[in-house]
């Protein structure tokens, strides 16, 4: 395989950024529950890769922990041989053999159950264990023995491209323990305990840790600051009286802001707050902006204020435009010889994605991108706008937006949007 072919391979980064690899761009990639499956276009082989915190496979009682108990992994097995370790910087061991596959009963059996439907009961396989400190990877390769050697060489190149993080982020369960320890250390007088569903009970409040974990994966140096600020804000809000939780409308009118949320998040976590379903699995909700946080507007407050949702929406949009004028959030134009073709914000902001609702943003962006352009809002703090004329990079941008949606905190949507003078709609591809 030429260097040019290798340069055209796609890059994949595993869950929690624990590892990365490259694979041929024409191979089929499927990812489910943290397990990566790669198959050649012909579909006559399957490479399955998973990554775990310490050993998770059934293994024999050896000191190294790099020996697999094949009696638990397969219904039957034969001709098992130990193979030469991979020529990579991480510890590895390899095996090959034949086996009868059963339907998965444990999660690790899914590594050997997702294989091509071959006519025989015995299947040919290779298995590699790769380890770096607390991280262990499990790689299985099932194949038809009649396939050519070039395919196995491609698999070898994929495996030799693997790079495991030397300083891996902690998995969710250890992260939750770190949050609990931090809460108990910083606020010893407040009762704290972990709850099912990746949540922390802090005093009388409950805090979902999902967005904090995503933020931790992207910027681990901010972990203590982010958690401490959130806990302090919870304490502050818990001390509020009725005047602050149910204020008169005139007191907060200038701080009402629109904010985007995924529709599922709204329906599952904020069903009693003012909102409306929008496009691309999004919902528009309304918050009152505070100095270090914001709080959602409850349905009962509309009754107290004697205003309807349409009036609240218009007030929120006016405040959104004033907010960005006051804070002087700059737009960065990514330019080419024939002019700008992409716009992003200069820095993260909780209301960045909400600008897709703003008429002021549209008028500003159209000066550079034309009267119709694409926009991506993978998470709350990010907005990208792209000229529709740049068809050659739209697929790549779509891929990046989908990747950011899976990895960023406060995820919104993995879909691209079309912004015109008439409003915003979902992007359905080039016609």
């Amino acid at each position: 395989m030429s260097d040019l072919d290798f340069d055209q391979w796609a890059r994949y980064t595993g869950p929690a950024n624990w590892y990365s690899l490259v694979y041929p761009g024409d191979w089929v990639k499927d990812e489910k529950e943290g397990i990566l499956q790669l198959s050649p276009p012909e579909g006559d082989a399957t490479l399955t890769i998973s990554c775990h915190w310490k050993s998770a496979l059934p293994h024999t009682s050896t000191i190294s922990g790099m020996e697999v108990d094949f009696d638990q992994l397969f219904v039957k097995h034969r001709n098992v041989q130990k193979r030469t370790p991979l020529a990579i910087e991480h510890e590895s061991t390899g095996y090959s053999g034949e086996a009868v596959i059963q339907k998965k009963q444990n999660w690790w059996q899914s590594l050997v159950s997702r294989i091509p439907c071959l006519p025989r009961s015995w299947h040919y396989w290779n298995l590699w264990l790769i380890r770096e400190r607390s991280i262990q990877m499990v790689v299985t390769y099932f194949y038809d023995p009649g396939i050519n050697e070039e395919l196995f060489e491609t698999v070898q190149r994929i495996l030799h491209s693997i790079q495991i993080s030397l300083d891996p982020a902690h998995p969710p369960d250890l992260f939750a323990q770190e949050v609990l320890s931090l809460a108990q250390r910083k606020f010893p007088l407040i009762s704290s305990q972990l709850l099912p569903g990746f949540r922390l009970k802090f005093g009388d409040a409950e805090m979902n840790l999902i967005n904090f974990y995503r933020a931790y994966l992207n910027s681990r140096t901010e972990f203590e600051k982010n958690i401490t600020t959130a806990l302090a804000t919870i304490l502050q809000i818990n001390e509020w009286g009725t005047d602050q939780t149910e204020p008169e409308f005139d007191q907060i009118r200038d701080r009402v802001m629109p904010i985007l949320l995924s529709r599922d998040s709204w329906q599952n976590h904020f069903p009693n707050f003012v909102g409306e379903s929008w496009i691309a699995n999004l919902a528009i909700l309304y918050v009152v902006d505070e100095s270090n946080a914001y709080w959602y507007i409850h349905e009962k407050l509309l009754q107290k204020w004697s205003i309807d949702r349409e009036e609240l929406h218009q007030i929120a949009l006016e405040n959104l435009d004033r907010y960005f004028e006051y804070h002087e959030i700059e737009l960065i134009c990514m330019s080419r010889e024939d002019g700008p073709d992409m716009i992003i914000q200069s820095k993260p902001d909780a209301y960045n994605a909400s600008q897709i609702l703003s008429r002021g943003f549209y008028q500003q962006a159209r000066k550079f991108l034309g009267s119709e352009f694409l926009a991506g809002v993978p998470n709350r703090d990010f907005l990208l706008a792209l000229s529709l004329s740049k068809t050659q990079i739209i697929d790549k941008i779509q891929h990046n937006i989908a990747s950011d949606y899976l990895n960023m905190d406060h995820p919104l949507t993995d879909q691209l949007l079309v912004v015109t003078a008439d409003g915003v709609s979902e992007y359905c591809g080039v016609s």
Side-chain angles (χ1 to χ4, degrees):
M1 182 177 295
S2 68
D3 291 339
L4 177 60
D5 291 334
F6 193 77
D7 289 341
Q8 293 174 347
W9 283 23
R11 176 164 293 277
Y12 171 82
T13 300
N17 302 321
W18 282 349
Y19 76 96
S20 65
L21 55 77
V22 295
Y23 64 93
D26 61 346
W27 278 39
V28 178
K29 176 176 75 73
D30 182 33
E31 185 180 10
K32 187 176 182 180
E33 298 177 353
I35 298 176
L36 172 68
Q37 180 174 288
L38 299 171
S39 303
E42 300 79 12
D44 51 7
T46 302
L47 183 67
T48 304
I49 301 172
S50 64
C51 195
H52 314 275
W53 189 264
K54 300 186 178 179
S55 178
L57 273 182
H59 56 79
T60 58
S61 56
T62 61
I63 296 176
S64 69
M66 296 285 279
E67 302 288 338
V68 179
D69 186 344
F70 294 106
D71 289 334
Q72 293 190 52
L73 193 60
F74 302 119
V75 176
K76 297 179 181 179
H77 58 83
R78 67 189 184 191
N79 300 329
V80 175
Q81 300 181 47
K82 196 164 186 177
R83 295 297 183 180
T84 304
L86 298 169
I88 57 178
E89 62 181 15
H90 312 293
E91 180 185 5
S92 69
T93 187
Y95 303 89
S96 66
E98 301 169 55
V100 174
I101 309 303
Q102 65 180 356
K103 292 183 178 179
K104 63 179 180 178
Q105 297 175 344
N106 299 296
W107 75 263
W108 42 263
Q109 288 172 330
S110 65
L111 299 176
V112 299
S113 65
R114 301 167 69 193
I115 64 173
C117 296
L118 302 177
R120 68 182 67 84
S121 59
W122 287 92
H123 303 279
Y124 290 81
W125 55 267
N126 286 83
L127 184 146
W128 295 269
L129 299 181
I130 307 171
R131 184 168 64 184
E132 179 62 53
R133 303 181 191 186
S134 296
I135 301 299
Q136 180 164 298
M137 297 182 67
V138 184
V139 183
T140 57
Y141 174 55
F142 286 85
Y143 62 95
D144 182 339
I147 63 177
N148 57 42
E149 286 295 321
E150 184 178 349
L151 183 57
F152 187 75
E153 291 176 3
T154 300
V155 170
Q156 288 283 320
R157 297 200 70 175
I158 294 173
L159 299 183
H160 283 90
S161 75
I162 288 175
Q163 294 182 321
I164 301 177
S165 173
L166 299 181
D167 184 23
H170 282 169
D173 56 339
L174 292 185
F175 171 82
Q177 288 293 336
E178 289 184 354
V179 172
L180 177 62
S181 298
L182 181 61
Q184 293 171 338
R185 186 174 77 251
K186 293 287 187 178
F187 305 94
L189 300 181
I190 307 298
S191 63
S192 304
Q193 67 179 100
L194 294 177
L195 299 176
F198 205 34
R199 294 174 299 149
L200 173 75
K201 185 172 178 60
F202 184 66
D204 295 327
E206 293 184 10
M207 187 169 74
N208 193 307
L209 300 180
I210 292 177
N211 284 319
F212 292 101
Y213 185 63
R214 286 193 172 200
Y216 162 77
L217 294 179
N218 290 318
S219 180
R220 288 156 59 188
T221 59
E222 299 292 315
F223 161 73
E224 183 166 330
K225 175 185 175 182
N226 290 341
I227 298 298
T228 303
T229 299
L231 296 176
T233 301
I234 289 174
L235 285 182
Q236 179 185 0
I237 293 176
N238 285 343
E239 295 174 354
W240 284 1
T242 304
D243 291 343
Q244 291 167 300
T245 59
E246 299 181 14
E248 297 299 325
F249 187 64
D250 289 343
Q251 295 176 320
I252 53 88
R253 179 188 178 104
D254 293 340
R255 294 185 284 124
V256 173
M257 300 283 282
I259 199 158
L260 294 181
L261 205 64
S262 72
R263 189 180 303 150
D264 292 340
S265 182
W266 172 41
Q267 294 172 345
N268 294 331
H269 303 296
F270 304 97
N272 298 318
F273 293 93
V274 182
E276 58 182 302
S277 293
W278 201 42
I279 60 174
N281 196 37
L282 292 169
I284 305 172
L285 276 73
Y286 305 92
V287 299
V288 176
D289 186 59
E290 301 288 350
S291 57
N292 294 315
Y294 53 74
W295 51 274
Y296 291 91
I297 295 177
H298 200 281
E299 289 278 2
K300 65 183 181 181
L301 285 178
L302 289 190
Q303 301 175 10
K304 175 180 179 178
W305 295 337
S306 299
I307 62 174
D308 56 28
R309 295 187 186 189
E310 184 176 348
E311 184 179 356
L312 184 70
H313 182 75
Q314 293 303 318
I315 292 172
L317 291 183
E318 293 171 3
N319 291 340
L320 181 67
D321 284 337
R322 282 198 295 269
Y323 175 88
F324 281 100
E325 289 175 3
Y326 176 79
H327 289 276
E328 296 182 347
I329 303 297
E330 297 181 356
L331 299 177
I332 299 176
C333 296
M334 313 295 287
S335 301
R336 298 183 185 274
E337 293 181 0
D338 55 348
D341 56 22
M342 189 185 306
I343 292 175
I344 60 175
Q345 279 94 352
S346 60
K347 61 181 180 180
D349 189 278
Y351 303 110
N352 274 345
S354 300
Q355 283 193 96
I356 198 71
L357 305 168
S358 167
R359 191 68 181 173
F361 172 77
Y362 170 75
Q363 295 294 347
Q364 188 175 5
R366 68 174 295 179
K367 298 176 183 177
F368 304 101
L369 306 179
S371 59
E372 297 184 4
F373 54 88
L374 296 178
V377 286
N379 87 322
R380 181 196 64 182
D381 299 351
F382 183 81
L383 168 62
L384 173 148
L386 172 71
S387 170
L388 266 169
S389 65
K390 301 301 177 181
T391 57
Q392 71 276 15
I393 63 171
I394 289 177
D395 286 344
K396 182 176 181 180
I397 294 297
Q398 173 71 81
H399 174 79
N400 291 342
I401 291 295
S403 177
D404 288 344
Y405 167 76
L406 293 175
N407 295 295
M408 287 181 165
D409 56 292
H410 299 88
L412 294 179
T413 180
D414 60 355
Q415 300 182 48
L416 283 175
L417 309 175
V418 181
V419 187
T420 71
D422 297 325
V424 186
S425 59
E426 296 179 23
Y427 175 66
C428 298
V430 180
S431 58

